[in-house]
Amino acid sequence: MTILPKLLTAHTTIASMSGFINLIIIITNSSDDDDHDDDDDDDDDDGLWQDLANRWHEVKQLVPDRDQTLHNELLRQQNNERLRRAFAQKANVVGQWIERHLDAIASAAVQKGKLEDQLTRLRAIDKEVAAFRPSFDELERYNHEIQEAMIFDNRHTPYTMEVGGT
């Protein structure tokens, strides 16, 4: 997002020069009324200034299109950053929750004791997972939006959602 502000500044500069360039073209065209010794040079100058005026007119017509394009890009980048932050906020919570619960599952599996006690601990963990399911679903929605927006990096979190295939 670092180049967009520079493009917007350059675009604003070009757009603000419109009146100045128009004034130069008008002054130059009005000075053509003066008498000159060589009519061939006058014809060359007229063609040059007319070409300049035509090209400037083309540039002025492109300014609104460029303005809209830059505005759309700014909105797209702002939306992408909003998605990155929303995903990161949820992923940081879910990721840490998963890490804690994987440790609990692993410790329950290797602890010595009655099988019924281990099953009770695993059922309790299963209830916690079911209760946390809305957070997983919300994270999946953010991930889907990020994929649709083709966002490939997120400096706000180390977590990603990998989709396994068969």
Side-chain angles (χ1 to χ4, degrees):
M1 203 153 93
T2 59
I3 194 166
L4 190 59
K6 293 176 185 176
L7 289 174
L8 288 168
T9 300
H11 173 74
T12 303
T13 302
I14 289 171
S16 68
M17 290 174 47
S18 178
F20 178 71
I21 299 296
N22 286 337
L23 181 62
I24 291 173
I25 291 171
I26 290 169
I27 290 171
T28 303
N29 285 336
S30 68
S31 70
D32 288 344
D33 296 339
D34 297 342
D35 292 331
H36 295 285
D37 293 337
D38 192 348
D39 287 339
D40 289 337
D41 286 342
D42 288 344
D43 290 340
D44 289 344
D45 288 346
D46 289 345
L48 179 67
W49 287 110
Q50 186 59 46
D51 186 46
L52 177 63
N54 291 342
R55 289 177 189 236
W56 180 245
H57 180 71
E58 289 174 14
V59 168
K60 285 189 335 186
Q61 288 180 330
L62 294 174
V63 166
D65 292 340
R66 181 176 170 96
D67 189 37
Q68 187 62 46
T69 300
L70 289 170
H71 178 72
N72 291 345
E73 178 61 18
L74 179 62
L75 291 177
R76 187 187 71 78
Q77 288 186 17
Q78 288 172 339
N79 185 56
N80 286 357
E81 185 61 20
R82 181 192 61 77
L83 287 172
R84 281 184 187 99
R85 289 179 187 272
F87 176 86
Q89 183 179 16
K90 185 54 74 172
N92 289 337
V93 171
V94 171
Q96 292 171 1
W97 187 92
I98 289 172
E99 289 172 9
R100 283 192 311 274
H101 283 76
L102 284 177
D103 290 344
I105 292 169
S107 69
V110 296
Q111 284 182 346
K112 298 198 188 246
K114 293 182 181 180
L115 193 54
E116 291 82 17
D117 293 340
Q118 290 178 347
L119 184 58
T120 302
R121 280 191 289 267
L122 290 175
R123 284 186 178 149
I125 291 172
D126 184 52
K127 286 182 183 178
E128 289 180 41
V129 169
F132 205 71
R133 181 71 188 179
S135 292
F136 291 122
D137 294 340
E138 183 180 1
L139 183 60
E140 180 57 37
R141 282 191 302 275
Y142 288 136
N143 187 60
H144 181 73
E145 289 181 52
I146 281 178
Q147 288 176 342
E148 283 183 347
M150 295 178 41
I151 299 171
F152 302 111
D153 63 325
N154 192 340
R155 67 181 181 273
H156 304 293
T157 184
Y159 297 106
T160 61
M161 289 189 73
E162 301 299 325
V163 179
T166 53

